[in-house]
Amino acid sequence: MNFVNKQQQISTREWDEIEEDTFKSLTKEEMDALRKAKPRNFASINSWWIVLSQVVLTLAIAGACFVFSSQDDKSVYTYSALVGGLIGFLPSALFLMRIEAAKKSVKSSPGGFLAAVVSGEFIKILATIVLFIGFALKQPDLKWIPLLVTYLATLKCYLLGWFWK
């Protein structure tokens, strides 16, 4: 028992030494100088560009479905791709509107903003589920392959934010 406590004390001391060596607190002046020296590292991307890229990608995939599908299935494949894109970008737009409303709120606080993010994600998930179920029930002739391909492609647009930054 005593041996275990000594091992824990030794590992705790080693961990504390590693933490002290690894991290350095910066003053406000040092942080401002760092921001001036490397502004690109601190830049943020406008999230509406991601939603716009989702819309553009939806239209591109729907156009490809229109061009490459047979004459009989042209409209249903195109419509299915448009629905998949809509299911992808509409919840994202709703989430961003919730975040924008929280930013403009007079009572903005870190806790309030966190609540806005959580409620925005809840709205996004709920809207996605409702759209999938609604279109599946109201439009039984939808083609699921172009719908899901477009939906998944719009989800991958979030990765573009890393490349644009």
Side-chain angles (χ1 to χ4, degrees), residues 20 26 55 69 71 76-77 117 144 163:
E20 290 172 7
L26 299 177
V55 171
S69 60
Q71 193 63 28
V76 80
Y77 276 97
V117 170
W144 284 94
F163 295 117

Side-chain angles (χ1 to χ4, degrees), residues 1 34 65 71:
M1 186 93 164
L34 187 60
C65 286
Q71 193 63 28

